[in-house]
Amino acid sequence: RVLMGTQVDITLESPDPSKLQPALEAAYLEMTRLSDMMNHYSPASVVSAINAAAGIAPVAIPPELMQVLQMAQSVSQRSQGCFDITVASIKGWRFSNQARSMPSPEDIVRQLPLVDYRQLVLNPSAQTAFLKRQGMRVDLGGIAKIYILDAGMRMLRQQGIHSAMINGGGDVLVMGSHQGKPWRIGVRDPRAPSTLIGTLELNEGIVASSGDYERFFEHEGRRYHHILDPRTGYPTQGLRGVTLVAQRLDQINGLGAAIMVMGASKGQALVKHTAGLDALLVDHNGEVWRTAGMAKKLH
């Protein structure tokens, strides 16, 4: 089904077939609830309410959204601002096939001061979020999706399912086994997205991929893609793609976009300082770097 602007596929197995359809529906229902809450494109979402009240007043938010916003702030701090959900304050970028556009250099210069994750004030005791300056906006596209997919997986467990795969537009979560064997997850080659670099075999974990090949357009010989550098207001340069593997949400969420912005050397350093995280990075020259753990997992 289509959720969060992408196709979300669920594959599940159970020795009790009667559990399958109710579990499937419960998982999609939970993911839809969270997607509706965090979708900045929807005027009715809580995220849109935060954006509308920027510079005016704090907004009461549900605990799940507080969790995601706290995750975002944590990744922003760890990456020294290379990940920043307030990059949505740069308006005018469109990467869809139906509508492609870019802001003028003057627009970017004018809006760039509004990009600053430190201007998002969270109050966990009052359960509120507040953007300090009018015109600021947040977009949770880089951090909400895996959280929502993980919530879907938790719902499947609650429904008594122990073998499942959820695939949401390049981000894949698995548990258990597929017909008695590990789940097989293809890793796309950013240099040729229709082909695979290799296949991962996992019984438990999360695979997250980010790259310049998903949503982009070419203009005057340059590729413009949807992952923006919060420091410049323009799409990142340097890395073509990042694939990350970890067991838990907190080890992986938001880091793909952060590493795309940071580039190869700083991205490698962040990976090395994150326990339980394996990575594969492909730079603009086509050079591939991978952790020892990724080399073992990738076939």
Side-chain angles (χ1 to χ4, degrees), residues 17 46 57 76 117-118 123 146 158 161 173 188-189 192 197 199 205 236 238:
V46 185
S76 295
Y117 69 92
R118 291 161 295 198
N123 185 332
I146 297 179
Q158 288 177 23
I161 301 297
L173 287 74
R188 292 170 76 181
D189 187 340
I197 282 183
T199 304
T236 65

Side-chain angles (χ1 to χ4, degrees), residues 244-296:
L244 305 175
V245 182
Q247 291 287 305
R248 302 194 317 270
L249 180 69
D250 62 308
Q251 295 168 318
I252 201 170
N253 203 14
L255 292 185
I259 292 168
M260 285 289 292
V261 174
M262 296 172 88
S265 58
K266 290 184 178 178
Q268 290 172 24
L270 181 64
V271 170
K272 290 172 183 174
H273 286 92
T274 305
L277 183 67
D278 280 311
L280 181 147
L281 279 54
V282 180
D283 71 13
H284 67 286
N285 294 318
E287 292 185 19
V288 179
W289 176 87
R290 67 194 78 189
T291 59
M294 180 65 89
K296 290 177 184 175

